[in-house]
Amino acid sequence: MADTIFHSGKYERLFGLIGYPLGHSFSQSFFNSKFESENINARYVNFEIPTIEALPGVVAGHPNLRGFNVTIPYKERIIEYLDAIDPEAKAIGAVNVVKIYRQPDGSLSFKGYNSDAIGFGDSIKPMLEAGVHDRALILGSGGAAKAVAHALDKLGVASVIVSRTKRPGVLIYEELTPEIIASHRVIVNTTPLGMYPNVDECPAIPYGCLTEQHICYDLLYNPDTTLFMKKAAEAGATVKNGLEMLLLQAFVSWTIWNK
């Protein structure tokens, strides 16, 4: 919680990340390295808030805050705090970038965007082979899963959500038969399973059914190789972590904050 009382007076602009927990995130070091190398008078801070209700206090306590990224578990809950939402983010149903508009009279307004879909889509697109990677399984059902589904749809890849909870249109892990794995050659992990420090965890899919035609993409990037990726690679699948997606969506975030 110490980062939430960051003293930002010496910086012209402040940006940040809200979520809980944030020990895994590289966003802070990425943006601050960018600011230093490009002589930008700004700072990026982690705001590790245990509840979304703490957000107004963070904003009120940091008058230089111009925008922030949103990560687990607030990509959907943040929407109730917004005054406006970009059409694509609205269609996705999740927001991971917020721009703050500060008026001369001191009033504030917030607009939400989604850069996850762009970052993921641009990252996975070169890996896809027509006729081979036309169906996907998305592990997880949160805000990141919604962005991934949106991006895959735009790339012509039909997707199915896999969750621990059974509901219409959603598979549960126990239903992942060899036939389903064989017909869905893109598998994307959007859950936090395997994220540092819990590196010995992974989604419960039948890894033995994977083949060399499968792409297993993990949105996690800390550690570099998650247990999900390791087990998929051992079965012959092509694997990739979420670092490139993080960098691509960060570029989009910076563009949004400065337009």
Side-chain angles (χ1 to χ4, degrees):
M1 288 295 290
D3 279 337
T4 63
I5 55 172
F6 176 80
H7 298 291
S8 57
K10 68 177 182 176
Y11 296 104
E12 179 183 10
R13 291 183 295 168
L14 185 68
F15 302 93
L17 173 67
I18 69 164
Y20 190 85
L22 293 179
H24 67 284
S25 177
F26 289 169
S27 296
Q28 185 176 37
S29 59
F30 167 79
F31 275 107
N32 286 330
S33 294
K34 174 183 175 65
F35 296 157
E36 290 170 14
S37 66
E38 298 181 21
N39 276 330
I40 298 171
N41 186 11
R43 193 73 177 167
Y44 192 98
V45 179
N46 283 347
F47 297 110
E48 190 172 68
I49 54 177
T51 67
I52 190 66
E53 288 78 15
L55 177 62
V58 168
V59 176
H62 297 86
N64 292 358
L65 189 63
R66 296 293 182 263
F68 53 88
N69 291 120
V70 184
T71 190
I72 296 172
Y74 303 133
K75 292 184 180 185
E76 296 163 298
R77 289 286 311 280
I78 189 65
I79 293 175
E80 64 192 83
Y81 290 84
L82 303 177
D83 299 287
I85 184 168
D86 177 75
E88 186 153 14
K90 186 174 183 179
I92 293 169
V95 163
N96 75 305
V97 186
V98 175
K99 182 173 182 177
I100 301 175
Y101 294 87
R102 295 181 179 270
Q103 305 305 324
D105 64 0
S107 62
L108 303 177
S109 63
F110 303 85
K111 184 171 182 178
Y113 300 82
N114 192 298
S115 63
D116 278 341
I118 300 171
F120 174 76
D122 288 350
S123 179
I124 199 171
K125 183 178 180 180
M127 305 174 70
L128 301 175
E129 182 181 344
V132 177
H133 303 119
D134 53 0
R135 288 200 280 182
L137 297 174
I138 301 174
L139 312 181
S141 57
K146 291 180 176 180
V148 166
H150 184 82
L152 288 173
D153 183 64
K154 293 183 74 171
L155 292 170
V157 179
S159 61
V160 178
I161 294 290
V162 183
S163 177
R164 292 172 298 178
T165 305
K166 182 62 178 175
R167 54 188 186 275
V170 172
L171 293 174
I172 56 174
Y173 287 91
E174 291 77 8
E175 295 174 327
L176 295 180
T177 63
E179 292 75 19
I180 290 176
I181 297 296
S183 61
H184 294 75
R185 299 190 188 98
V186 178
I187 302 178
V188 184
N189 177 39
T190 73
T191 78
L193 290 173
M195 182 173 67
Y196 178 85
N198 302 312
V199 297
D200 294 327
E201 299 178 349
C202 65
I205 67 170
Y207 292 92
C209 297
L210 298 173
T211 69
E212 294 180 357
Q213 290 188 319
H214 280 86
I215 295 170
C216 289
Y217 193 116
D218 200 331
L219 265 57
L220 302 178
Y221 50 83
N222 186 7
D224 290 338
T225 303
T226 61
L227 185 57
F228 167 76
M229 293 169 60
K230 182 176 183 293
K231 295 178 75 167
E234 288 172 349
T238 299
V239 300
K240 187 167 187 172
N241 70 19
L243 184 58
E244 183 182 53
M245 174 184 167
L246 170 75
L247 297 176
L248 290 169
Q249 72 85 17
F251 293 142
V252 176
S253 297
W254 184 242
T255 301
I256 290 169
W257 291 329
N258 287 279
K259 67 180 182 179

